[in-house]
Amino acid sequence: MPKNLVAKASVVIDAPAAAVWVALVDSSALKEYMFGSTVISDWKKGSKIVFKGEWQGKPYEDKGVILQLEPGKRLQYSHFSPLMGKPDSPENYHTVTIDLASEGNRTRVSLSQDNNATEEAREHSTKNWATMLAGLKKYVEGRATRVRA
């Protein structure tokens, strides 16, 4: 699988990086904007991360390991999904990297996912991540509005 077929998506959120970070590592928040997934992790480098839910009517349990964790700056983890129909072996894992960059009172969230098997898979992942980031933006900005009110 070519590591160079990288899906990328980004969004600017009207909130500080600390608020965005909380939403990235809080299981109840993730369930709100990450396609209803239950995400289980203790959020430490080297720890397991598990995603459970239903996708297009099929239950799934994806998994990975947290590779980098820099609060307020970067979250990186490996990711394997049995729904891909491939063996659970290292060459079938993606690396998902989420970087946060402060832009005044706003935060740019940049996400990449490597190791997409085909251009079609890369495009599909790009669309899914863009949808997830739009949900993250709505979630964080909605919470910020409630806090200000």
Side-chain angles (χ1 to χ4, degrees):
M1 230 183 273
K3 288 268 187 193
N4 63 346
L5 283 178
V6 179
K8 295 180 181 179
S10 68
V11 68
V12 176
I13 299 176
D14 188 18
V20 176
W21 182 258
V22 168
L24 287 173
V25 297
D26 178 84
S27 294
S28 61
L30 283 157
K31 191 168 186 75
E32 292 292 318
Y33 67 82
M34 197 157 181
F35 309 109
S37 294
T38 298
V39 182
I40 303 162
S41 182
D42 67 5
W43 305 107
K44 295 177 184 165
K45 185 176 178 180
S47 293
K48 293 179 182 178
I49 184 168
V50 176
F51 304 84
K52 294 180 179 183
E54 192 174 291
W55 180 255
Q56 297 177 339
K58 296 178 188 171
Y60 69 86
E61 184 170 318
D62 295 359
K63 64 180 181 173
V65 172
I66 296 180
L67 303 172
Q68 291 184 42
L69 190 100
E70 297 174 51
K73 295 182 180 178
R74 173 174 272 203
L75 173 62
Q76 183 182 68
Y77 55 88
S78 62
H79 173 258
F80 173 78
S81 177
L83 294 178
M84 294 188 311
K86 301 198 185 248
D88 182 356
S89 55
E91 67 272 12
N92 294 320
Y93 279 69
H94 303 287
T95 298
V96 176
T97 304
I98 305 170
D99 287 311
L100 306 183
S102 293
E103 297 182 355
N105 292 331
R106 302 175 344 152
T107 305
R108 177 172 298 280
V109 182
S110 302
L111 184 149
S112 65
Q113 175 192 297
D114 72 2
N115 210 19
N116 293 281
T118 62
E119 182 60 30
E120 181 181 19
R122 185 194 67 76
E123 289 174 11
H124 178 76
S125 293
T126 297
K127 287 178 186 171
N128 281 344
W129 287 123
T131 299
M132 187 279 285
L133 290 179
L136 172 64
K137 176 180 174 73
K138 183 177 178 182
Y139 177 85
V140 173
E141 290 178 355
R143 290 189 61 81
T145 300
R146 286 193 297 275
V147 169
R148 284 185 226 135

